Amino acid sequence: MQAHPIGGIPRRPAWLAEAGATLALAWPLALTNLSQHALALTDTVILGWLSTEALAAGTLAANLYWAVMAAPLGTAFAAGPMLAQARGAGRLPGGAGRGWVRQMRRGARSALWAALALLLPSMLLLWFAEPALLALGQEPHPAALAGTYLRGMMWGLPSFCGFIVLRGFLAAMERPGPALWVAGAGILLNGLLCWLLVFGAFGRPGLGILGAGIASALANAAMLAGLLGLLARDRVLGRFRLLGRFWRPDLGKLAEVVRLACRSAAACCSRSACSARRPSPWAGSARWRSRRTPSRCRPRA
């Protein structure tokens, strides 16, 4: 321990204080990053109770989903370091970082614009997921079910990209906690909606695998709405007005977002594409057809 220059009061070493601050910021971000995977895992568990065919189709859909979404999600994740850099510049002495609030607003808007622009071709491909999976060598019936699932799920992708950008803003402001709590609530909501929509409730029939996709889309929309509501109610964060003049694209900031996102998006695309190209071990097997067997039961060889 080092001694304080006044009164000899001991204080923590600088590296230990920095490590503690980094850990306090990192663990909520790490858990929040798992939210979309947790949504997919919830769907998988419930689809396993629906039928083994639905379980196999969910596996195919997840592989294609992450391959297609790598580019827009990589762009949305680029908002975090860019906004953190703008806030760090605002702390420079002598007014060197003047205008950092405006820079953060411009960065968040540009990340949203870039992610939404990349979402258009991604959503178009997901709409035609069935022929894409057939071209990758999957069998017709699982490919058709996966396409149905993705057609329900794809409408929540703009909301999830918006959630990622806002999460990056909160991380730059060193307040990652709200994004974590909203993500946790979204996972619980997705589980409830998925069960009700897949199997039916209140005298209404279930939608099957389509209901799981719709539940994920609704959960993503609720997560974005919840985070926007928290930002609007906060007196400090609300003054940033991140969506102010959203209709006016900033070409300079857009170029900066693209430069930051290219490497991470390319790496995600390559990994996810390899996973999507590999046939599902369940999709083409006759022993995984016919019965509505719970996922915890394994078929006989």
Side-chain angles (χ1 to χ4, degrees):
M1 302 291 286
Q2 296 179 352
H4 195 277
I6 300 177
I9 302 175
R11 66 178 182 181
R12 299 166 64 190
W15 69 267
L16 189 58
E18 289 292 336
T22 301
L23 183 61
L25 183 63
W27 75 263
L29 293 178
L31 293 180
T32 306
N33 283 343
L34 297 176
S35 61
Q36 190 71 1
H37 294 280
L39 292 177
L41 177 62
T42 304
D43 290 350
T44 300
V45 171
I46 294 177
L47 290 177
W49 284 95
L50 176 65
S51 70
T52 51
E53 287 184 331
L55 179 62
T59 303
L60 291 177
N63 287 335
L64 182 61
Y65 172 87
W66 290 113
V68 171
M69 285 301 297
L73 283 182
T75 304
F77 277 115
M82 185 171 59
L83 297 177
Q85 184 179 16
R87 187 174 184 235
R91 295 179 171 182
L92 294 176
R98 186 178 303 168
W100 65 276
V101 172
R102 181 171 177 269
Q103 291 298 320
M104 291 189 73
R105 182 164 55 245
R106 291 175 59 203
R109 284 203 310 258
S110 299
L112 284 171
W113 268 100
L116 292 177
L118 289 173
L119 272 176
L120 295 177
S122 299
M123 293 180 70
L124 182 63
L125 180 56
L126 290 178
W127 184 262
F128 295 101
E130 181 181 355
L133 289 171
L134 291 175
L136 290 171
Q138 304 300 334
E139 294 195 359
H141 187 54
L145 288 176
T148 301
Y149 174 58
L150 288 172
R151 284 192 175 189
M153 187 180 185
M154 59 181 279
W155 301 109
L157 301 182
S159 298
F160 185 65
C161 285
F163 176 82
I164 291 297
V165 172
L166 295 182
R167 188 221 64 164
F169 166 73
L170 288 171
M173 296 298 295
E174 301 180 41
R175 294 178 59 178
L180 175 60
W181 310 133
V182 169
I187 294 169
L188 295 177
L189 177 63
N190 178 66
L192 176 62
L193 291 177
C194 188
W195 186 272
L196 295 177
L197 292 176
V198 168
F199 297 108
F202 309 111
R204 295 185 177 274
L207 299 176
I209 195 169
L210 176 62
I214 295 175
S216 293
L218 293 175
N220 281 322
M223 289 164 59
L224 176 61
L227 210 51
L228 285 173
L230 290 176
L231 292 177
R233 292 177 60 88
D234 191 285
R235 288 190 297 179
V236 175
L237 302 178
R239 70 189 180 96
F240 284 85
R241 296 184 293 111
L242 294 181
L243 298 183
R245 298 183 180 180
F246 180 73
W247 59 90
R248 296 178 58 180
D250 189 325
L251 298 182
K253 279 291 181 181
L254 276 173
E256 184 178 350
V257 170
V258 171
R259 285 196 299 269
L260 285 172
C262 277
R263 289 186 179 181
S264 59
C268 290
C269 281
S270 62
R271 289 194 299 266
S272 301
C274 291
S275 176
R277 179 62 184 86
R278 186 170 56 250
S280 169
W282 299 332
S285 176
R287 64 184 180 179
W288 286 91
R289 302 172 184 174
S290 76
R291 295 196 310 273
R292 294 165 58 94
T293 309
S295 62
R296 66 180 187 277
C297 300
R298 294 290 180 263
R300 284 185 261 175

